[in-house]
């Protein structure tokens, strides 16, 4: 599928009139604005080519009819290689153990063509829903299907490079990074700007050399210049303190590459004092945390006996933010054995996450986990804040208030590079 001819979808009419969150407007453009109770302002945007070149205030009385707009979205944590595999390897029990077993079963039949097909479907969906960049963990290294996954990724990344910024993190068994195969994989990832990953929680640390393997992975990341993004403490078990082991290692020897922590569910089970200390350490090391509400709510506090989940598995987002830690929200699994829902739709993810996390969109700290924070995690040039000279990459909803956006699903209009997507 090629890029549509730009002339067919030139922006009209100009200027573009929208409602926009004040929290995502550069302070240089804040004069003469009427701010409503939702923290929204009315703006007229002039767009030349691929760039916003003019931002003017509009009277508040125009508000009820203007569409609420947001910056094009950034997905900080997904799994493109396994998206849409639920129908092939369903997980009706919904447990983590069964999800892993189904995942490994699916590895055995992976072909590059099949993985490329679902990656392409995922990216097509994400692009049409207004994503501009995605970081995907990919099952690579030492497992059946790894070569197929690598080939599919190379092909798909090339096909989408003119439309989406894509980052790959190899989700591999931690011990792989201490082997020759792991070193070779890290070299190949470094050439792509990719990262090293893995999953570490209390239940997979017993009786193994995991501390040594974690230290080896960090050394390799530093040597090869690869960022690190780990699935850490994805459990409600309060004994899971793998993040603290990571912090110990990083405090002993700071890394010259970026480190990101994903999940952090067990943090919510620690005492307030213990949590405060961990948050402080994360803030000092400038390590962001990605919270993944959909998968966490689906998998956590689930057992084979029927019971209603009490522990929801969410990282303590507000306490992390209070302590100065950058928190981003990601979509994680989409229609795979780990979570049957999701559809690479940033507004649907927002609609799910807001009541679950109590992140209020009328406050800056409620918006940044969906906008500026994921852009920061991926190291993107644009932080999602509207200012003269920023990219003309926007998502327009059908409504004019946060309440209306929460009330029903949205049909989105997406502006990329100053043109409407068809
Ligand atoms: Zn994940």
């Amino acid at each position: 599928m090629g890029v549509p001819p730009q002339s067919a979808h030139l922006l009209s009419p100009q200027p573009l009139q929208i409602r926009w969150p004040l929290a995502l407007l550069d302070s240089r453009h804040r004069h003469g604005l009427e701010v409503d109770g939702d923290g929204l302002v009315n703006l007229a945007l002039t767009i030349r080519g691929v760039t916003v070149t003019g931002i003017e205030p509009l009277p508040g009385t125009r508000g009820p009819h203007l569409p609420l707009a947001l910056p094009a979205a950034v997905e900080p944590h997904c799994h493109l290689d396994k998206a849409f595999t639920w129908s092939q390897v369903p997980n009706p029990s919904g447990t983590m153990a069964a999800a892993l077993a189904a995942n490994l079963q699916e590895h055995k039949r992976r072909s590059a063509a099949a993985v490329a097909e679902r990656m392409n479907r995922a990216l097509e969906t994400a692009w049409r829903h207004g994503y501009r960049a995605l970081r995907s963990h990919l099952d690579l290294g030492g497992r059946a299907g790894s070569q197929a996954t690598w080939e599919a990724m190379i092909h798909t990344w090339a096909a989408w490079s003119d439309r989406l910024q894509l980052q790959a993190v190899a989700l591999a068994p931690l011990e792989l990074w201490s082997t020759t195969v792991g070193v070779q994989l890290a070299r190949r990832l470094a050439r792509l700007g990719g990262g090293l990953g893995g999953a570490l929680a209390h239940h997979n640390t017993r009786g193994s050399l995991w501390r040594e393997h974690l230290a080896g992975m960090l050394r390799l990341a530093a040597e090869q210049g690869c960022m690190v993004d780990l699935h850490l403490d994805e459990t409600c078990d309060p004994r899971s303190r793998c993040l603290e082991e990571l912090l110990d290692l990083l405090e002993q020897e700071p890394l010259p590459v970026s480190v990101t922590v994903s999940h952090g569910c067990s943090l919510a089970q620690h005492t307030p004092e213990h949590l405060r200390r961990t948050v402080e350490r994360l803030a000092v090391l400038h390590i962001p945390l990605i919270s993944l509400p959909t998968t966490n709510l689906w998998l956590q506090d689930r057992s084979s006996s029927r019971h209603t989940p009490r522990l929801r598995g969410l990282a303590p987002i507000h306490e992390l933010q209070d302590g100065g830690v950058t928190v981003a929200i990601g979509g994680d699994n989409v229609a795979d054995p780990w979570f049957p829902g999701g559809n690479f739709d940033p507004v649907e993810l927002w609609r799910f996450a807001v009541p679950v996390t109590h992140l209020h969109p009328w406050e800056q700290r409620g918006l940044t986990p969906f906008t500026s924070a994921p852009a920061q995690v991926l190291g993107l040039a644009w932080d999602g804040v509207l200012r003269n000279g920023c990219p003309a990459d926007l998502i327009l909803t059908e409504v004019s208030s946060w309440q209306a956006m929460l009330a029903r699903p949205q049909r989105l209009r997406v502006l990329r590079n100053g043109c409407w997507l068809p």
Side-chain angles (χ1 to χ4, degrees), residues 58-78:
L58 286 174
T61 48
R62 306 274 275 278
H65 309 294
L66 297 183
L68 172 50
L70 291 165
V74 178
E75 173 55 81
H77 182 126
C78 63

Side-chain angles (χ1 to χ4, degrees), residues 102-408:
N103 202 154
L104 295 175
Q105 204 52 40
E106 180 267 314
H107 282 173
K108 293 179 189 164
R109 2 176 165 141
R110 277 193 180 193
S111 69
V115 178
E117 191 275 333
R118 57 195 188 231
M119 280 182 171
N120 193 58
R121 177 180 164 193
L123 294 179
E124 175 77 26
T125 310
W127 182 64
R128 290 194 179 278
H129 284 147
Y131 277 105
R132 61 186 171 109
L134 298 92
R135 174 182 288 183
S136 178
H137 296 251
L138 302 168
D139 292 354
L140 286 168
R143 298 185 179 104
S146 288
Q147 184 56 29
T149 309
W150 180 269
E151 287 170 19
M153 185 261 287
I154 294 293
H155 175 80
T156 312
W157 262 225
W160 282 90
S161 63
D162 57 348
R163 284 164 284 175
L164 293 169
Q165 287 182 265
L166 299 170
Q167 290 182 4
V169 176
L171 177 53
L174 222 52
E175 57 271 24
L176 178 92
W177 303 118
S178 302
T179 68
T180 311
V181 174
V183 173
Q184 287 167 350
L185 177 58
R187 280 200 193 112
R188 287 191 282 160
L189 284 161
R191 286 197 285 273
L192 289 175
L196 312 191
L200 203 50
H202 181 70
H203 52 268
N204 60 13
T205 57
R206 281 184 289 260
S208 73
L209 296 169
W210 65 274
R211 284 188 185 83
E212 288 79 354
H213 293 316
L214 180 59
M217 176 199 189
L218 297 180
R219 270 195 306 275
L220 179 60
E223 281 164 19
Q224 299 298 330
C226 292
M227 47 95 167
V228 171
D229 191 337
L230 283 158
H231 287 65
L232 271 192
D233 297 325
E234 189 179 354
T235 171
C236 289
D237 187 336
R239 294 170 298 173
S240 195
R241 294 180 175 182
C242 299
L243 170 58
E244 290 165 54
E245 300 285 348
L246 173 71
L247 295 173
D248 286 347
L249 291 170
L250 294 174
E251 283 164 356
Q252 284 161 26
E253 195 164 339
L255 278 198
V257 293
S258 78
V259 177
T260 304
V261 175
S262 291
H263 290 293
C265 310
S266 66
L267 287 176
Q269 303 309 316
H270 294 168
T271 64
E273 181 52 32
H274 193 124
L275 174 61
R276 191 190 58 74
R277 177 70 191 125
T278 307
V279 168
E280 225 172 68
R281 297 173 74 193
L282 277 168
V284 167
L285 289 167
H286 301 290
I287 297 177
L289 183 140
I290 301 173
S291 181
L292 303 151
T294 49
T295 298
N296 289 159
L297 264 74
W298 182 250
L299 293 173
Q300 297 303 314
D301 201 17
R302 191 186 270 275
S303 69
S304 50
S305 61
R306 287 187 190 280
H307 91 135
T308 305
R310 265 69 161 183
L311 306 175
R312 305 317 291 121
L314 280 181
I317 294 168
H318 295 273
E319 291 79 357
L320 286 155
Q321 287 187 325
D322 284 344
V325 177
T326 296
V327 179
I329 302 281
D332 209 353
N333 305 93
V334 170
D336 68 19
W338 303 86
F339 178 59
N343 193 30
F344 298 101
D345 181 332
V347 173
E348 277 305 287
L349 176 63
W350 177 89
R351 282 166 34 78
F352 180 96
V354 166
V356 165
T357 60
H358 296 183
L359 286 167
H360 297 153
W362 40 87
E363 296 170 1
Q364 178 155 16
R365 57 186 279 159
L367 281 173
T368 52
F370 302 94
T371 53
S372 304
Q376 183 186 330
V377 169
L378 268 70
L380 303 180
W382 185 36
D383 55 7
V385 174
L386 192 62
R387 59 175 72 85
N388 272 340
C390 78
D393 291 342
L394 306 175
I395 297 172
L396 269 64
T397 68
E398 299 172 293
V399 293
S400 301
S401 72
W402 297 118
Q403 173 276 318
M405 202 157 118
L406 271 172
R408 61 185 168 94

